[in-house]
């Protein structure tokens, strides 16, 4: 579609000095369009797209929908414990990531560390970030067993990569002047960082850490579904035993909890920026 | 006798452009030296080289007899030697979000043990020194404010207080008054020359304006194209001589009338003419 639109506008642009349509140009565009269509067709089959199934299984969908529309909160205390566990996973996953992310961030900043340090540290951070927390969760479940601790470790490892990257970008954007002022007094490198760098980046760091905490609460929910503890695990159990009204109740609790958290966290972040 | 600052054959190039070229300069303890020159003359580079914030391509810089940099590298003792140098910058270079007191106490970092300094456990004596330094520069009332809450002139005076806590024997200042209004500029220059008179602190100050240099300094070093083209008593630097040295760009250095304006009680400047405004901001 895009190709056609471009063609049309190109023709219209002739008076503005755009080149005339050549035969080669038309051939190239047609070939491009053909490739795009081929990719879409291949992906359709590969993903086993089957809208018919939605109609065919309309009965199932109706049952599911009906059950989901009547959330059952009888066991709300159980779900509340689950969401609290999810928060706990996110709190420790984020805190550990901040603790380990700060030294990594400083070592990855070009204005703090020499290139032979920043390069390997950045590649290491890329590695942590490249692998999704869900994958880490599966790995840690294999290592330490099902449960919230595996979730904490998964969030910690992935978030360390993200936090280190965000923190390091803040460090690289600081004003070098105050750091030189500190250096001029005969301070050590560590003191330059403590007095010259950290005060400049602290508001941003706090804001980034809170933001990551918010998104880690969402991630912890999903990690629970694969066995990393918390409300996600409870949700998975209710789904697998076809307790849809209970599953709906859990979803409502998750949405309310996450929205509340977002609102609170936004208020706090606004104070620091 | 060892010089307060002795610069030997220092050269620094950025790419193929020589910012300073084979500079030799000796400053005796207690001297007041102004470094003047147009933008791009190399005076900022020379100032940064003197304090070891920048390493040269070749040459040596000694502070009270000890080398801070030599042959393109900082010496092992560079950190210790820096304590003797108080640095003042055009943009003050305070840490905005820290209190004025904390900014001034940073001056003690070179003295106290690294562990105490890093965690901010300053002793009573250092805190007293910080307070009396703030008193001396006249901003003790603002001790607990954040540095960013102060006016430019007050921030520059806090930076001077920091060099006092540091017990610096030489103050190297890079365009200390370029960002200040005339009244604050005079106050800062008065303060610096008072420290020189009463405590014998050596001054090396780079300046844009020749009138300030002549009013406050005994000796003037003028730079052009990375070289020292004049080094002598302030009285010998007449407008004619300046024009001879700098040609057309001498006008940029003289800015007639600015110093007189500074002596008059401060009145807010009103400038409708954009060209005039641009010149005043230069």
């Amino acid at each position: 579609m895009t190709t056609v639109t471009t063609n049309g506008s190109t023709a219209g642009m002739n008076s503005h000095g755009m080149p005339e349509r050549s035969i080669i140009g038309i051939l190239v565009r047609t070939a491009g369009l053909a490739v795009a269509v081929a990719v879409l067709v291949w992906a359709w089959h590969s993903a086993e797209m089957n809208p018919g199934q939605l109609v065919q299984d309309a009965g199932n969908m109706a049952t599911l929908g009906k059950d989901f529309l009547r959330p059952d909160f009888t066991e709300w205390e159980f779900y509340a414990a689950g969401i609290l566990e999810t928060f706990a996973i996110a709190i420790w996953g984020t805190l550990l990531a901040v603790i380990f992310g700060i030294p990594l961030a400083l070592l990855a900043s070009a204005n703090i560390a020499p290139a032979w340090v920043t390069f390997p540290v950045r590649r290491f951070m890329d590695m942590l970030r490249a692998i999704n927390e869900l994958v880490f969760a599966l790995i840690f479940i294999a290592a330490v067993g099902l449960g919230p601790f595996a979730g904490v470790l998964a969030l910690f490892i992935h978030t360390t990569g993200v936090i280190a990257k965000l923190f390091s970008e803040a460090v690289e954007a600081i004003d070098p002047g105050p750091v030189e002022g500190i250096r001029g007094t005969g301070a050590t490198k560590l003191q330059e960082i403590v007095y010259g760098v950290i005060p400049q980046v602290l508001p941003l760091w706090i804001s980034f850490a809170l933001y990551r905490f918010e998104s880690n609460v969402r991630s912890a929910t999903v990690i629970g579904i694969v066995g990393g503890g918390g409300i996600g695990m409870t949700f998975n159990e209710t789904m697998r035993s076809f307790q849809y009204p209970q599953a709906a109740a859990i979803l409502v609790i998750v949405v309310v909890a996450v929205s509340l958290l977002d609102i609170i966290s936004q208020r706090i972040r606004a104070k620091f920026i | 006798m060892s010089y307060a600052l002795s610069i030997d054959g220092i050269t620094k190039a950025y790419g193929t452009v020589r910012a300073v070229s084979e500079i030799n300069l000796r400053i005796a303890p207690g001297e007041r030296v102004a470094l003047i020159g147009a933008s791009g003359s190399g005076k900022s580079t020379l100032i940064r080289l003197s304090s070891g914030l920048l390493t040269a391509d070749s040459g040596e810089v000694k502070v009270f007899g000890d080398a801070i940099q030599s042959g393109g590298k900082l010496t092992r003792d560079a950190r210790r030697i820096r304590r003797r140098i108080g640095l003042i910058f055009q943009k003050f270079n305070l840490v905005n979000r820290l209190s004025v007191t904390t900014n001034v106490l940073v001056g003690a970092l070179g003295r106290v043990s690294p562990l105490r300094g890093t965690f901010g456990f300053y002793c009573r004596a250092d805190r007293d020194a910080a307070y009396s330094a703030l008193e001396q520069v006249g901003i003790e009332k603002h001790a607990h404010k954040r540095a960013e809450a102060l006016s430019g002139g007050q921030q520059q005076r806090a930076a001077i207080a920091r060099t006092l806590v540091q017990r610096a024997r030489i103050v190297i200042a890079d365009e200390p008054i370029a960002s200040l209004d005339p009244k604050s500029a005079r106050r800062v220059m008065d303060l610096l020359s008072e420290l020189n008179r009463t405590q014998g602190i050596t001054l090396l100050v780079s300046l844009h304006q020749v009138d300030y240099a002549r009013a406050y300094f005994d000796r003037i070093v003028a730079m052009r194209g990375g070289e020292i083209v004049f080094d002598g008593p302030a009285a010998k630097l007449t407008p004619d001589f300046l024009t001879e040295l700098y040609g057309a760009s001498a006008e940029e250095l003289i800015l007639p009338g600015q110093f007189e304006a500074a002596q008059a009680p401060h009145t807010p400047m009103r400038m409708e003419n954009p060209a005039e405004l641009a010149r005043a901001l230069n």
Side-chain angles (χ1 to χ4, degrees):
Chain A
M1 287 302 278
T2 320
T3 323
V4 175
T5 321
T6 317
N7 258 344
S9 53
T10 310
M13 293 288 249
N14 276 349
S15 56
H16 301 293
M18 292 290 281
E20 290 284 330
R21 267 196 280 178
S22 69
I23 296 190
I24 295 170
I26 293 169
L27 282 178
V28 168
R29 283 195 188 112
T30 314
L33 193 63
V35 169
V37 170
V39 167
L40 286 178
V41 170
W42 164 81
W44 180 272
H45 286 289
S46 207
E48 296 179 17
M49 298 278 278
N50 188 1
Q53 198 133 34
L54 281 175
V55 185
Q56 229 169 26
D57 297 339
N60 278 348
M61 296 288 288
T63 320
L64 204 67
K66 219 162 59 190
D67 282 353
F68 262 92
L69 284 175
R70 286 180 310 205
D72 173 7
F73 289 94
T74 353
E75 292 190 71
W76 68 271
E77 280 164 316
F78 185 52
Y79 309 146
I83 193 91
L84 284 180
E85 190 172 277
T86 294
F87 275 112
I89 294 168
I91 287 171
W92 272 102
T94 313
L95 184 62
L96 287 174
V98 168
I99 292 169
F100 284 80
I102 287 173
L104 276 179
L106 292 167
L107 291 174
S109 302
N111 51 352
I112 303 278
W116 60 268
V117 173
T118 59
F119 185 79
V121 172
R122 283 181 193 174
R123 296 298 78 78
F124 175 64
M125 282 159 36
D126 289 347
M127 223 168 65
L128 300 183
R129 274 201 326 277
I131 301 169
N132 190 283
E133 51 258 68
L134 214 54
V135 180
F136 278 121
L138 290 172
I139 294 170
F140 282 114
I141 286 166
V144 302
L146 287 172
F149 186 52
V152 170
L153 291 177
L155 282 182
F156 157 46
I157 299 296
H158 179 78
T159 311
T160 300
V162 177
I163 287 265
K165 165 108 176 147
L166 290 173
F167 279 20
S168 150
E169 274 173 9
V171 169
E172 288 187 333
I174 60 165
D175 174 5
V179 185
E180 286 189 343
I182 308 279
R183 185 179 308 154
T185 64
T188 62
K189 187 86 188 175
L190 184 61
Q191 290 169 340
E192 281 175 32
I193 292 169
V194 169
Y195 287 95
V197 178
I198 308 271
Q200 289 195 60
V201 294
L202 201 60
L204 264 182
W205 279 11
I206 291 173
S207 164
F208 286 151
L210 278 169
Y211 175 70
R212 276 317 297 187
F213 173 62
E214 282 171 44
S215 56
N216 274 350
V217 170
R218 289 186 284 267
S219 299
T221 312
V222 181
I223 284 174
I225 294 175
V226 301
I231 192 80
M233 209 140 144
T234 323
F235 177 75
N236 195 25
E237 281 156 14
T238 53
M239 279 302 284
R240 278 195 308 188
S241 50
F242 310 108
Q243 299 170 294
Y244 298 133
Q246 284 77 7
I250 292 175
L251 285 187
V252 170
I253 288 176
V254 168
V255 169
V256 170
V258 169
S259 312
L260 272 178
L261 175 72
D262 278 13
I263 292 167
I264 295 167
S265 160
Q266 247 176 41
R267 291 253 169 95
I268 299 176
R269 279 193 288 138
K271 285 203 169 152
F272 284 102
I273 278 287
Chain B
M1 127 181 176
S2 65
Y3 288 98
L5 181 71
S6 112
I7 297 174
D8 280 296
I10 217 139
T11 296
K12 176 75 182 177
Y14 296 109
T16 55
V17 185
R18 275 195 166 190
V20 300
S21 183
E22 288 291 322
I23 296 268
N24 294 297
L25 182 65
R26 276 172 180 66
I27 295 174
E31 259 194 296
R32 276 201 296 251
V33 182
L35 187 62
I36 62 162
S39 341
S41 62
K43 61 184 192 306
S44 233
T45 305
L46 187 61
I47 287 274
R48 291 176 64 79
L49 287 167
S50 310
S51 56
L53 282 180
L54 194 65
T55 50
D57 299 331
S58 61
E60 190 177 56
V61 178
K62 283 184 183 169
V63 179
F64 291 99
D66 298 316
I68 186 165
Q69 65 166 301
S70 181
K73 273 195 222 127
L74 289 182
T75 58
R76 273 175 169 278
D77 289 341
R79 203 168 70 76
R80 192 174 53 81
I81 295 164
R82 274 200 185 118
R83 296 179 208 164
R84 301 172 191 166
I85 311 171
L87 289 182
I88 304 288
F89 303 84
Q90 180 180 346
K91 301 283 183 206
F92 328 125
N93 286 6
L94 301 177
V95 185
N96 279 336
R97 295 174 45 82
L98 296 181
S99 75
V100 174
T101 308
T102 311
N103 267 291
V104 171
L105 270 169
V106 161
L109 281 181
R111 259 204 320 276
V112 303
S113 82
L115 201 67
R116 290 176 69 98
T118 305
F119 291 101
F121 298 130
Y122 297 102
C123 60
R124 187 80 232 165
D126 289 328
R127 292 188 179 278
D128 289 346
Y131 189 78
S132 73
L134 287 174
E135 259 180 344
Q136 205 171 338
V137 303
I139 53 167
E140 73 280 4
K141 270 184 295 192
H142 307 295
H144 298 292
K145 285 189 191 162
R146 278 189 182 188
E148 63 196 349
L150 267 56
S151 73
Q154 289 167 334
Q155 287 194 45
Q156 198 59 294
R157 283 188 274 151
I160 294 172
R162 178 164 75 186
T163 74
L164 287 174
V165 171
Q166 200 182 326
R167 300 181 198 151
R169 296 311 304 149
I170 177 170
V171 166
I172 299 182
D174 187 10
E175 302 262 11
I177 54 169
S179 313
L180 302 180
D181 61 88
K183 193 181 167 197
S184 304
R186 261 183 64 83
R187 184 123 196 220
V188 163
M189 291 310 300
D190 285 343
L191 189 57
L192 284 176
S193 52
E194 184 196 315
L195 295 179
N196 168 267
R197 272 199 317 276
T198 58
Q199 305 189 21
I201 295 173
T202 312
L203 295 181
L204 172 62
V205 180
S206 81
L207 288 169
H208 220 78
Q209 307 98 321
V210 175
D211 41 11
Y212 276 94
R214 267 210 297 259
Y216 285 98
F217 294 88
D218 321 313
R219 179 178 163 194
I220 293 182
V221 173
M223 290 187 74
R224 184 181 56 191
E227 289 174 346
I228 292 177
V229 289
F230 173 85
D231 181 354
K236 274 181 71 180
L237 203 68
T238 58
D240 288 345
F241 190 59
L242 271 174
T243 315
E244 200 184 309
L245 282 179
Y246 293 106
S249 60
E251 200 183 335
E252 182 198 348
L253 291 166
I254 300 167
L255 284 179
Q258 174 141 344
F259 189 64
E260 286 75 9
Q263 279 172 320
H266 181 59
T267 45
M269 276 188 284
R270 277 186 61 208
M271 272 172 288
E272 266 91 18
N273 182 352
E276 216 180 325
L277 184 66
R279 225 178 56 164
L281 293 174
N282 199 342

